Amino acid sequence: MGKDTLTITDNRTGKTYELPVEHGTIKALDLRQIKTGPEDFGLMTYDPAYTNTASCKSRITFIDGDKGILNYRGYPIEQLAEQSTHLETAYLILNGELPSKQQHDEWVFNITHHTMIHENIKDVLDGFRYDAHPMGMMLAAVGALSTFYPEAKQVRDKAVRRDQVFRLIAKMPTIAAFAYRHAMGLPYAYPDNDLSYCGNFLQMMFKTAGRYKVDPVLERALDVLFILHADHEQNCSTSAMRGVGSSETDPYSATAAAIAALYGPLHGGANEAVLRMLDEIGSKDKVPAFIKECKESGGDVRLMGFGHRVYKNYDPRAKIIKKMADQVFEVTGRNPLLDIALELERIALSDEYFVKRKLYPNVDFYSGLIYQAMKFPVDLFPVLFAIPRVAGWLAQWEEMLEDKDQKIARPRQVYLGHDRRDYVPLESR
Ligand code: SDX
């Protein structure tokens, strides 16, 4: 193996440059020395949607898209889904190591005792119409939290950051449940500290008169789903968290930006879009016609829950979720839409259009079927993605703040607009 450098010859000038290669990358800034003359700004890279640009160095999550590998801090997602809990996984993602018993108990205690939200947040939620989308309500409520904890602006203070981490992880389920109760015209069910993180969320959601009995199978299924959604390296919403956080705004405002990004149907909104797509297809025998419409649409009609920027193989999370569906359906009854989903997958995985583009089921393809069977309304599905992902967003945000390479995010552009021109008064136009 030769030197870890790249030799570039600029054919415009005949000059050659030798750039260091580190971790399989060259520093974009090293290209600026490549000029055609003293007036030249120097070379930049052009990479819309950052399809081939590393925005940071990270030690949190590793994905191998070709092999379908996903590790949090080195631990395979399959082992964490099997043996861990969401809160323990959140600790791992945020702290880099699995907690000791004492660390785990302290962590769970701190989160359990931050689940209440200020009564004024209820007024924020009550200001929405009954049919407001819960992601819009969560976006607003989390942004509003920044005004209740002004000390959160001290983003360089580790102890202050830790308190906001407790609050955000603890309060997301409460806000989600309250948004649902608002839509249903039900009284808010307050947190119950005697229950687990997921058990408490289920009771805040579905408690009616009398004591709510948590079903252990559904409680565990939700916990596993939360583990699977906790982080996913530099996805769209994490990039929003890092980008907005780089201005040193408070973590609630940065999280609101991440929620806004996750809301989109190409990202976290896909699990909701999958259910709407399955409903629209309506029956197994209509699947071939839908697949045909997808292929002929030039990308306008997409098989939601399929495809991924990084995974060019089966999303390992989708495999786990698909397996888990049967356990949930034993309790809730089988979701009839599963037959349509299985038929879509069967046909797509053998169809040249999807095979050539390496389109496989992603995390969103089966998760919605489980959520629907657990009686969550379809529009709440992206919110169920946001709840666990806040741990990943916060870990990535803290890593950005601690990274000496990082500063306020401000990309360049390729300007193709008008040259300087003089204003023309209205009467002369
Ligand atoms: C998540 O980044 C992450 O890590 C995200 C996530 C996380 O945990 O944070 O994993 C969560 O967002 C999962 C993805 C959920 N989104 C969907 O399921 C929506 C449907 N899928 C897509 O729209 C799409 O696959 C993306 C957005 C996920 C990825 O898009 P890319 O990488 O930009 O790929 P592309 O749009 O350039 O598509 C490449 C080709 C195109 O066809 P051609 O132009 O080459 O002819 O594949 C086609 C696309 O039209 N294509 C699809 C398709 N996805 C891509 N065609 C049909 N159905 C699809 N789902």
Side-chain angles (χ1 to χ4, degrees):
M1 181 86 149
K3 282 197 297 179
D4 282 335
T5 61
L6 199 63
T7 300
I8 296 175
T9 299
D10 183 349
N11 296 320
R12 301 172 298 176
T13 61
K15 285 186 185 167
T16 61
Y17 305 82
E18 190 169 7
L19 307 185
V21 174
E22 186 196 34
H23 306 302
T25 68
I26 56 166
K27 283 199 176 68
L29 215 47
D30 286 350
L31 296 171
R32 284 277 284 283
Q33 61 184 306
I34 302 176
K35 299 173 182 248
T36 53
E39 294 306 304
D40 187 351
F41 179 77
L43 277 192
M44 297 192 293
T45 57
Y46 173 58
D47 186 11
Y50 313 118
T51 55
N52 192 41
T53 294
S55 61
C56 63
K57 292 173 180 170
S58 182
R59 292 173 176 76
I60 299 170
T61 292
F62 172 75
I63 303 174
D64 180 319
D66 293 327
K67 298 193 186 107
I69 290 172
L70 169 57
N71 300 339
Y72 293 155
R73 299 286 188 178
Y75 293 96
I77 193 71
E78 295 79 4
Q79 292 183 22
L80 292 168
E82 183 71 32
Q83 304 175 59
S84 187
T85 63
H86 173 58
L87 284 190
E88 182 182 71
T89 300
Y91 181 98
L92 168 68
I93 286 170
L94 275 147
N95 297 285
E97 297 298 337
L98 288 168
S100 65
K101 175 88 174 68
Q102 187 193 339
Q103 288 166 332
H104 174 270
D105 294 349
E106 274 170 25
W107 174 252
V108 172
F109 178 89
N110 278 312
I111 288 169
T112 303
H113 292 82
H114 279 89
T115 48
M116 296 287 278
I117 55 176
H118 192 290
E119 285 289 287
N120 287 17
I121 295 288
K122 284 171 34 183
D123 302 335
V124 172
L125 296 173
D126 287 342
F128 286 89
R129 281 172 44 112
Y130 76 94
D131 58 353
H133 196 291
M135 271 301 257
M137 295 176 73
M138 173 165 268
L139 174 59
V142 169
L145 283 177
S146 69
T147 65
F148 289 83
Y149 307 106
E151 72 279 12
K153 289 180 173 58
Q154 299 162 46
V155 297
R156 298 285 173 195
D157 182 322
K158 268 193 170 88
V160 169
R161 287 205 307 258
R162 195 53 12 154
D163 286 343
Q164 315 324 313
V165 164
F166 294 144
R167 286 173 171 143
L168 271 160
I169 293 176
K171 296 177 194 312
M172 292 281 278
T174 310
I175 291 168
F178 279 24
Y180 170 71
R181 306 285 286 199
H182 169 78
M184 301 299 286
L186 288 169
Y188 295 131
Y190 280 78
D192 177 344
N193 289 351
D194 294 335
L195 297 173
S196 72
Y197 188 74
C198 288
N200 175 44
F201 176 49
L202 288 169
Q203 78 85 19
M204 291 191 289
M205 281 287 302
F206 300 119
K207 175 180 165 45
T208 47
R211 192 159 181 75
Y212 177 81
K213 193 172 171 339
V214 177
D215 182 300
V217 172
L218 303 188
E219 181 183 26
R220 178 61 190 157
L222 196 56
D223 207 42
V224 172
L225 283 161
F226 281 8
I227 290 171
L228 297 174
H229 285 82
D231 190 58
H232 212 241
E233 55 130 291
Q234 306 313 313
N235 56 82
C236 180
S237 53
T238 296
S239 301
M241 184 80 181
R242 279 177 170 262
V244 170
S246 72
S247 72
E248 295 199 1
T249 188
D250 67 271
Y252 301 99
S253 304
T255 301
I259 292 168
L262 190 73
Y263 195 175
L266 295 186
H267 191 12
N271 54 16
E272 175 181 356
V274 168
L275 260 291
R276 298 191 193 287
M277 171 187 75
L278 295 175
D279 263 336
E280 200 185 303
I281 294 170
S283 61
K284 247 175 93 169
D285 60 319
K286 298 208 178 67
V287 166
F290 178 76
I291 293 267
K292 184 170 179 292
E293 188 191 352
C294 247
K295 289 159 64 174
E296 291 168 358
S297 76
D300 294 342
V301 175
R302 294 197 164 198
L303 182 41
M304 300 312 276
F306 257 69
H308 201 276
R309 175 66 55 79
V310 177
Y311 289 123
K312 299 309 171 191
N313 198 326
Y314 215 104
D315 184 330
R317 301 168 296 178
K319 269 187 200 153
I320 298 169
I321 293 170
K322 186 178 174 185
K323 240 190 302 179
M324 197 169 66
D326 296 338
Q327 296 159 20
V328 172
F329 294 159
E330 265 172 39
V331 172
T332 61
R334 197 167 191 278
N335 190 327
L337 293 176
L338 177 64
D339 296 322
I340 301 174
L342 290 170
E343 182 65 358
L344 265 176
E345 178 183 343
R346 186 187 67 78
I347 296 179
L349 293 189
S350 57
D351 184 295
E352 178 52 22
Y353 178 91
F354 297 92
V355 172
K356 189 174 84 175
R357 291 168 177 81
K358 299 190 175 181
L359 303 175
Y360 292 87
N362 60 47
V363 67
D364 293 308
F365 190 59
Y366 286 105
S367 56
L369 290 168
I370 295 178
Y371 290 141
Q372 188 177 53
M374 293 172 76
K375 299 282 180 280
F376 289 106
V378 174
D379 64 3
L380 205 77
F381 292 3
V383 171
L384 296 171
F385 195 144
I387 293 172
R389 183 53 61 89
V390 77
W393 288 333
L394 288 166
Q396 300 274 351
W397 167 71
E398 286 210 286
E399 189 176 62
M400 176 272 300
L401 288 171
E402 297 285 317
D403 182 345
K404 299 282 172 278
D405 282 0
Q406 296 293 338
K407 51 186 170 179
I408 186 166
R410 204 266 183 236
R412 296 282 179 168
Q413 65 171 13
V414 175
Y415 179 68
L416 300 176
H418 288 284
D419 290 339
R420 185 190 181 287
R421 54 181 174 164
D422 294 327
Y423 180 79
V424 178
L426 187 59
E427 58 275 11
S428 315
R429 284 178 231 154

